[in-house]
Amino acid sequence: MDITELTVHELQGKLKNKELTITQINEAYVNRIKEKEPEVQAFITELTDQGMKQAKQIQNKIDNGEKVGDLAGIPIGIKDIICTKGVKTTCASKMLENFIAPYDATVMEKINAEEMIDLGKLNMDEFAMGGSTEYSYFKKTRNPWDLSRVPGGSSGGSAAAVSANMVPWALGTDTGGSIRQPAALCGVVGLKPTYGLVSRYGLVAFASSLDQVGVFTKDVQDCAILLNVIAGHDEKDTTSVDVGSKDYTKSLQKDIKGLRIGVPKEFYGEGINPEVKSCLETAIAKYKEMGAEVEEFSLDIAKYALATYYIIACAEASSNLGRYDGIRYTYRSPEAKTLKEIYKKSRSEAFGAEVKRRIILGTYVLSSGYYDAYYKKAQQVRTLVMNEFNKAFEKYDVIITPTSPTTAFKLGSKSNNPMEMYLADICTVSVNIAGLPGISVPCGVDSEGMPIGMQIIGNKFCEETIIKTAYAYEQETKFREKYKPTFKK
Amino acid sequence: MAREDYEVVMGLEVHAELSTKTKIFCSCPTKFGAKPNTQVCPICMAMPGTLPTLNEKVVEYAVKAGLATNCEISRNSKNDRKNYFYPDLPKAYQISQYDKPLCEHGYIEIETSKGKKKIGITRIHIEEDAGKLDHDDLGGGALVDLNRAGVPLIEIVSEPDFRSIEEVDSYLKKLKSILEYIEVSDCKMQEGSYRADVNTSIRPIGSQKLGTRTEMKNMNSFRSITRALEYEIGRQVEVLDNGGTVEQETRKWDEVSGKTFSMRDKENAEDYRYFPEPDLVAIKLSEEYIENIRKTLPEMPESRKQRYLNDYKLSEKDAGIITSSKYLSDLFEKAGEICGNYKAVNNWIISDISRILNETEMDPIEIPFDAKQLAKLVMLIDKGTISSSIGKKVLVELFKNPRDPEEIIKEKGWIQISDEGAIKDVVLKIIEANPQSVADYKGGKERALGFLVGQAMKETKGKANPQMLNKMFVEELKK
């Protein structure tokens, strides 16, 4: 038995039967990291030593008959944009290369309260800006299914680490698709919750009105378990919503008879790879077979979502990233002599090209004389996008689209063409614009063996519905039993 | 043209720090004067990942200020970000309000030598204060102190309704007293918790078009504002008279030279890129909420003034001075109630206390003694324990080291001599020493009596009861 192949709920079963110990589990993962990290490059900061210590402490507790929680001692990986007290949080930027947060993000407090073990901080595109994890200052993460390809992004480290079995699950963040797209490209499950379901306190802001913390897991059941841990209202985040406490594992049901599925034709047209399209069509046929009612419809407004997204996200980013000014916890250019030089040189030297591009774009759309034409208009379109989705959800329980227009692409193939890279978000951004929950589940592979993801979108705070829809499909198709990453070079 | 040929047009933006216990977006204390960076947390230090939560007291205080200045209160308001770089602004944006302020369209009535006038309030909005830079003289650098970062402010923007410096002065004092009355700000000008940006322009009398304005920022003394305006108006008249044009710019007032200087940093070109703060939800206020705040508004200065005129028969002028400050007014009422002699308390406040405040540039709120001690002073004089001239000395002592006036006079040996025997000894001694004056008095020169009483007071170091002295001299000189 390879421990690292198991899902968390499987590990829990084996812990209960005393087939496994916490120490064994963590040892297995630490060894797996040692073995695979040189190839995959998913970690910015490894916490394996400290993780093993914690594992032994928890094992001791168990051996002494102390009661511990269901998730105590289960390892996890954390995207390096979520603040962890006493451990570096770099956002994959030279700017925050040495930043150690003096506090824990609310989601980390929840993870720690469960006594889960953080095995490391995971790689990403700098400040979560990108779709391939190539824009990390530190390293380029590889796709475990083919090491010459990208894992997607921005949470590429999280997706690759779960896919390569270096952690059983991980936290990521999603502003325009940064969980769902890499989950699709790496053949794992990725959930972006409704805006407001999970606290953003301690998530380093990229675009405040779009950012959400979410999960990467091996299967849908684990996804429900981890969502139970991180969801919930937080007084420290006034945009978080109190929807009462829910148990998402109750949604793990196979019966989807009568489920109304909407299929927006705009997501199956131009720009979508034919193999991806046909894979999705097969999946939708499967749903029909299982008793769902499927209907094609038009979500015409979606074509404006990408432009809207880049205006709003960049505008907010240009303001959010102002605090990295070379004055306090950031990089400061050793050359700088005057205040202006501290700003100019520090920011010029420590931000990567993509981050600068977005700051400049965002500054432009907010500047006087352009605000009405860009930012204000984008907010108006945003309202229209929300309205269109609201209308759709009067008719459908879920909307199904591809997660990404293509499967994982080769490293370097898009990193010098920002526009092409932005198009990688075309299927996911409208979900953030409308603040909806979305899950990506693997639904097949292309002719080169690269995984394809299916995106299931739900109405606000209807995570139960998309979890149920994803679970039923997963149980029926058993992707994990058929396909595995090959670490092909 | 002469200065009289121009009309001055001025507008004010007043920043007042709200006296909430905690900051506007975190729970750090707001106390003034703590050691640098001891009243900070990850939120007000703008650590990555932190988020603001709006202090509800700030909204309440701002609504109170709006109601007290006859504003309409917005049921739907929001916060916006004002983006700019400066080391005292750790987030590189200030959370303020842009197009939906909490309060709008109000007014304040002021009084000047020309009578009453309404000054329009354009808006009142809430925002956070920035930190402070301490310039380090030794290292030549600057140090950032973030204790003040996130202290809540209201910005009160007036219409350009001012036509004289007197109006500006009167408005600033009136507004200050209103904020003190409703207890939303302590308005300590020396600590910078009440400061004004002054916009000034001039135009030929009769012209409808506004002239180009200059702005002087962060003025925090009434005297400086008056002086700066005197200078700036004169400067603008001179520029125009010499055929020049006034440039729209920020000018700095220099206290020492008594001049204003151009800042020349093209601040006006700054684009703040305002946009709605995505980290905070909209501020929605119910009718009930606003009405409940309205109910908590205290008695305002006009109403107190009227009461003083009717109940205590104060003069219009005295009542105006006392009610101009909530602190003075409270002092008057409390001390009057304890000693029962409102008239005497009034006299102390109007004459000696006001003079000392003026001389030391002290704010009434900084008066170190309390109403009980002032009342005691009045009572000691009323009872004849001390004379009013000793009373003045006691007051000076109260300012220096406030304590029970009875203790002060005991300690200093200032108790009035009212013992008949003792007074008689002094009178006889003075009569004996001044035969000429005695002869003068007996010869019909009434004024000589005053001289003799004066000598006796000198002899007793002012402690002799003056009425008794007078009476005794008259009796003795008749003999």
Side-chain angles (χ1 to χ4, degrees):
Chain A
M1 174 179 68
D2 180 352
I3 294 173
T4 65
E5 283 277 334
L6 302 173
T7 62
V8 171
H9 58 90
E10 286 163 351
L11 290 173
Q12 284 178 317
K14 299 206 183 292
L15 280 167
K16 223 173 223 164
N17 312 336
K18 313 268 177 206
E19 269 180 75
L20 282 177
T21 65
I22 296 296
T23 324
Q24 281 175 318
I25 292 172
N26 282 277
E27 250 165 18
Y29 274 104
V30 169
N31 288 335
R32 179 76 176 177
I33 292 170
K34 260 185 212 144
E35 182 197 338
K36 288 295 173 197
E37 175 60 8
E39 285 178 348
V40 180
Q41 301 278 303
F43 287 80
I44 291 177
T45 304
E46 282 181 31
L47 298 169
T48 47
D49 290 349
Q50 143 183 353
M52 277 315 298
K53 257 187 227 158
Q54 268 175 278
K56 280 171 193 156
Q57 284 165 4
I58 293 164
Q59 189 58 50
N60 275 341
K61 272 194 193 177
I62 295 170
D63 295 345
N64 292 334
E66 276 180 58
K67 217 173 143 48
V68 296
D70 287 347
L71 294 171
I74 299 293
I76 190 168
I78 307 293
K79 187 180 183 182
D80 208 17
I81 197 168
I82 295 170
C83 286
T84 45
K85 190 175 179 176
V87 173
K88 278 186 198 174
T89 299
T90 68
C91 295
S93 180
K94 181 177 182 175
M95 189 57 98
L96 293 178
E97 189 169 5
N98 297 305
F99 173 65
I100 296 175
Y103 73 99
D104 269 322
T106 297
V107 287
M108 285 316 295
E109 284 178 354
K110 291 177 178 232
I111 296 286
N112 293 336
E114 295 288 337
E115 293 191 271
M116 287 166 68
I117 297 175
D118 177 6
L119 285 185
K121 302 294 292 287
L122 299 165
N123 199 22
M124 53 186 277
D125 286 298
E126 185 180 2
F127 286 106
M129 297 175 184
S132 69
T133 312
E134 290 167 287
Y135 297 146
S136 164
Y137 169 66
F138 301 103
K139 51 177 66 170
K140 289 182 172 62
T141 299
R142 312 298 170 122
N143 191 315
W145 297 70
D146 175 351
L147 298 170
S148 70
R149 293 173 194 260
V150 301
S154 67
S155 312
S158 299
V162 173
S163 170
N165 293 336
M166 292 194 284
V167 287
W169 54 15
L171 292 188
T173 63
D174 190 319
T175 306
S178 284
I179 289 175
R180 290 156 290 155
Q181 185 255 20
L185 269 46
C186 289
V188 296
V189 175
L191 170 77
K192 178 205 98 79
T194 308
Y195 184 80
L197 185 72
V198 180
S199 169
R200 289 185 298 118
Y201 191 82
L203 154 60
V204 179
F206 157 17
S208 313
S209 73
L210 300 159
D211 295 341
Q212 249 313 267
V213 178
V215 304
F216 287 92
T217 56
K218 290 178 203 257
D219 71 0
V220 178
Q221 188 171 343
D222 277 3
C223 177
I225 295 170
L226 192 49
L227 184 61
N228 275 350
V229 175
I230 63 169
H233 173 66
D234 179 13
E235 281 182 357
K236 290 187 210 145
D237 175 3
T238 59
T239 62
S240 78
V241 179
D242 194 352
V243 287
S245 93
K246 289 183 178 179
D247 180 359
Y248 295 99
T249 60
K250 288 195 177 137
S251 311
L252 301 167
Q253 297 158 13
K254 283 190 243 179
D255 182 14
I256 54 149
K257 266 196 204 82
L259 182 82
R260 298 168 304 165
I261 298 176
V263 177
K265 58 176 192 250
E266 288 80 6
F267 286 75
Y268 295 82
E270 207 187 326
I272 306 294
N273 177 297
E275 284 193 78
V276 171
K277 189 181 166 190
S278 83
C279 185
L280 259 292
E281 280 162 358
T282 311
I284 288 164
K286 187 60 145 187
Y287 273 116
K288 267 192 202 160
E289 221 174 86
M290 291 159 68
E293 296 164 15
V294 177
E295 188 176 278
E296 197 177 82
F297 76 108
S298 172
L299 197 68
D300 198 36
I301 194 79
K303 65 177 177 242
Y304 300 112
L306 194 68
T308 304
Y309 170 79
Y310 275 96
I311 289 171
I312 293 172
C314 293
E316 291 177 4
S318 72
S319 173
N320 283 331
L321 272 62
R323 70 187 63 193
Y324 310 118
D325 56 3
I327 303 290
R328 287 147 302 142
Y329 39 72
T330 59
Y331 168 84
R332 181 187 289 187
S333 169
E335 313 276 301
K337 292 198 178 60
T338 64
L339 180 59
K340 260 204 179 122
E341 278 178 16
I342 290 177
Y343 291 153
K344 275 190 160 176
K345 287 184 191 281
S346 305
R347 288 169 69 83
S348 298
E349 290 162 25
F351 281 143
E354 181 60 26
V355 171
K356 284 181 200 164
R357 191 150 41 230
R358 297 199 192 191
I359 290 174
I360 292 168
L361 188 64
T363 304
Y364 178 78
V365 299
L366 287 177
S367 56
S368 85
Y370 297 97
Y371 181 90
D372 286 354
Y374 294 105
Y375 187 78
K376 198 173 166 195
K377 183 138 291 171
Q379 289 293 7
Q380 289 164 342
V381 177
R382 183 175 195 172
T383 306
L384 294 180
V385 172
M386 288 177 182
N387 292 346
E388 285 298 303
F389 270 109
N390 282 342
K391 257 196 258 163
F393 283 115
E394 282 169 15
K395 287 167 75 182
Y396 312 115
D397 300 310
V398 296
I399 292 169
I400 292 184
T401 75
T403 307
S404 163
T406 65
T407 53
F409 42 92
K410 297 272 186 191
L411 266 87
S413 65
K414 291 186 182 177
S415 49
N416 293 319
N417 186 341
M419 200 52 217
E420 218 174 292
M421 192 73 96
Y422 293 171
L423 284 171
D425 294 335
I426 192 123
C427 300
T428 46
V429 288
S430 53
V431 175
N432 300 75
I433 290 287
L436 303 171
I439 190 169
S440 179
V441 285
C443 67
V445 295
D446 68 5
S447 50
E448 291 178 84
M450 296 307 291
I452 294 168
M454 167 169 64
Q455 175 174 238
I456 305 165
I457 306 165
N459 205 349
K460 278 192 182 172
F461 301 106
C462 292
E463 274 75 5
E464 290 108 322
T465 317
I466 59 172
I467 286 173
K468 181 173 136 184
T469 309
Y471 182 74
Y473 177 82
E474 182 189 72
Q475 292 303 305
E476 192 71 22
T477 54
K478 309 249 181 238
F479 175 87
R480 284 185 69 241
E481 286 174 17
K482 294 177 195 152
Y483 307 102
K484 268 187 189 126
T486 59
F487 298 92
K488 174 171 92 181
K489 292 209 169 120
Chain B
M1 288 193 280
R3 184 161 167 173
E4 297 72 48
D5 300 324
Y6 290 101
E7 180 183 45
V8 187
V9 178
M10 288 165 289
L12 292 171
E13 288 159 33
V14 171
H15 286 94
E17 271 180 11
L18 297 178
S19 49
T20 54
K21 286 195 183 71
T22 56
K23 291 185 180 180
I24 182 167
F25 299 121
C26 63
S27 51
C28 286
T30 52
K31 250 183 102 184
F32 180 82
K35 275 191 182 170
N37 297 310
T38 55
Q39 296 183 164
V40 292
C41 72
I43 297 170
C44 56
M45 291 174 89
M47 286 284 176
T50 54
L51 296 171
T53 48
L54 180 58
N55 181 344
E56 285 172 18
K57 272 275 170 219
V58 171
V59 176
E60 182 190 320
Y61 280 20
V63 168
K64 223 173 179 179
L67 292 172
T69 52
N70 310 297
C71 284
E72 291 163 19
I73 309 301
S74 303
R75 270 58 175 171
N76 245 316
S77 181
K78 66 176 170 72
N79 296 100
D80 297 278
R81 289 188 186 176
K82 177 182 181 178
N83 297 283
Y84 65 94
F85 286 94
Y86 205 63
D88 68 4
L89 189 73
K91 293 193 294 293
Y93 56 83
Q94 178 194 34
I95 304 178
S96 178
Q97 294 194 286
Y98 184 56
D99 54 347
K100 286 184 173 178
L102 269 178
C103 320
E104 280 182 289
H105 313 306
Y107 68 88
I108 289 178
E109 196 172 70
I110 60 163
E111 233 178 307
T112 64
S113 52
K114 290 193 176 145
K116 289 184 176 173
K117 178 173 175 177
K118 272 184 187 172
I119 301 291
I121 305 276
T122 315
R123 58 185 279 165
I124 301 177
H125 69 249
I126 53 173
E127 60 185 26
E128 58 182 330
D129 210 343
K132 250 178 23 196
L133 289 193
D134 289 329
H135 291 275
D136 173 13
D137 295 333
L138 298 171
L143 300 168
V144 184
D145 175 8
L146 295 177
N147 283 349
R148 205 179 64 179
V151 167
L153 294 175
I154 46 175
E155 181 174 329
I156 303 145
V157 182
S158 84
E159 291 290 311
D161 284 348
F162 302 99
R163 296 293 177 271
S164 72
I165 296 174
E166 192 193 0
E167 287 177 5
V168 170
D169 190 59
S170 170
Y171 169 86
L172 284 171
K173 285 175 178 159
K174 184 68 177 284
L175 178 59
K176 179 168 178 283
S177 89
I178 290 172
L179 298 179
E180 286 170 355
Y181 270 90
I182 60 174
E183 293 179 318
V184 302
S185 172
D186 57 21
C187 294
K188 288 184 181 167
M189 296 184 83
Q190 285 178 4
E191 292 177 7
S193 69
Y194 184 79
R195 49 192 202 256
D197 300 346
V198 190
N199 291 297
T200 315
S201 68
I202 60 169
R203 61 183 173 193
I205 284 182
S207 163
Q208 289 305 304
K209 211 176 134 239
L210 286 172
T212 309
R213 67 189 154 83
T214 61
E215 187 177 24
M216 291 181 283
K217 284 184 186 283
N218 286 325
M219 310 281 292
N220 66 344
S221 118
F222 295 130
R223 221 168 72 93
S224 312
I225 292 169
T226 302
R227 287 180 67 208
L229 280 173
E230 283 287 354
Y231 176 85
E232 181 57 20
I233 293 164
R235 187 191 71 84
Q236 292 192 11
V237 168
E238 210 177 299
V239 169
L240 292 188
D241 277 354
N242 291 332
T245 47
V246 173
E247 265 188 72
Q248 183 169 341
E249 61 182 354
T250 302
R251 294 184 70 84
K252 189 179 165 55
W253 164 248
D254 182 65
E255 197 73 53
V256 180
S257 65
K259 291 178 179 173
T260 65
F261 294 96
S262 172
M263 302 274 280
R264 293 253 175 257
D265 59 356
K266 293 289 160 212
E267 279 283 331
N268 299 304
E270 185 117 36
D271 181 352
Y272 292 121
R273 292 174 284 122
Y274 280 99
F275 74 104
E277 168 56 276
D279 285 332
L280 291 168
V281 291
I283 306 168
K284 294 198 168 143
L285 304 180
S286 66
E287 299 300 321
E288 194 193 352
Y289 174 87
I290 295 165
E291 281 320 302
N292 282 340
I293 293 179
R294 199 189 296 277
K295 279 180 206 149
T296 68
L297 283 178
E299 186 187 16
M300 298 304 277
E302 287 79 23
S303 151
R304 279 203 191 189
K305 187 176 163 186
Q306 211 48 52
R307 197 152 54 76
Y308 294 178
L309 295 178
N310 297 339
D311 296 2
Y312 309 125
K313 310 290 176 215
L314 301 196
S315 73
E316 178 94 23
K317 191 177 163 225
D318 288 1
I321 292 172
I322 288 180
T323 55
S324 72
S325 151
K326 175 169 193 288
Y327 189 83
L328 282 184
S329 175
D330 285 348
L331 184 69
F332 169 75
E333 292 195 15
K334 278 186 211 148
E337 199 191 331
I338 297 168
C339 70
N341 189 348
Y342 286 92
K343 201 81 197 170
V345 175
N346 171 54
N347 290 339
W348 279 109
I349 292 175
I350 295 301
S351 57
D352 294 82
I353 293 175
S354 290
R355 182 179 46 78
I356 294 171
L357 290 180
N358 260 331
E359 283 168 5
T360 53
E361 284 194 35
M362 195 187 275
D363 238 13
I365 196 166
E366 294 166 306
I367 292 175
F369 55 85
D370 59 24
K372 217 168 137 190
Q373 290 163 336
L374 178 60
K376 193 73 165 281
L377 172 60
V378 172
M379 288 190 286
L380 287 170
I381 296 169
D382 286 353
K383 275 196 297 191
T385 314
I386 55 171
S387 64
S388 56
S389 58
I390 292 291
K392 287 181 204 288
K393 287 185 180 176
V394 173
L395 184 73
V396 171
E397 215 31 56
L398 281 176
F399 267 100
K400 270 194 230 156
N401 177 15
R403 53 203 194 278
D404 187 344
E406 208 155 2
E407 249 173 64
I408 297 177
I409 58 175
K410 259 185 211 153
E411 195 182 294
K412 302 270 180 186
W414 286 343
I415 297 175
Q416 182 159 280
I417 305 165
S418 300
D419 175 71
E420 241 175 87
I423 299 262
K424 193 169 179 177
D425 289 348
V426 178
V427 167
L428 292 175
K429 192 177 165 194
I430 297 298
I431 288 175
E432 203 182 315
N434 296 284
Q436 187 56 50
S437 299
V438 172
D440 287 351
Y441 178 76
K442 288 188 172 166
K445 285 188 183 168
E446 287 280 330
R447 259 183 30 223
L449 179 63
F451 174 77
L452 292 170
V453 172
Q455 289 302 106
M457 284 302 269
K458 206 170 167 188
E459 177 72 23
T460 58
K461 297 195 174 88
K463 287 187 287 181
N465 182 323
Q467 285 85 29
M468 287 177 73
L469 268 184
N470 235 326
K471 204 173 138 218
M472 193 80 72
F473 267 116
V474 173
E475 275 170 20
E476 287 300 319
L477 290 169
K478 266 186 200 158
K479 283 179 188 169

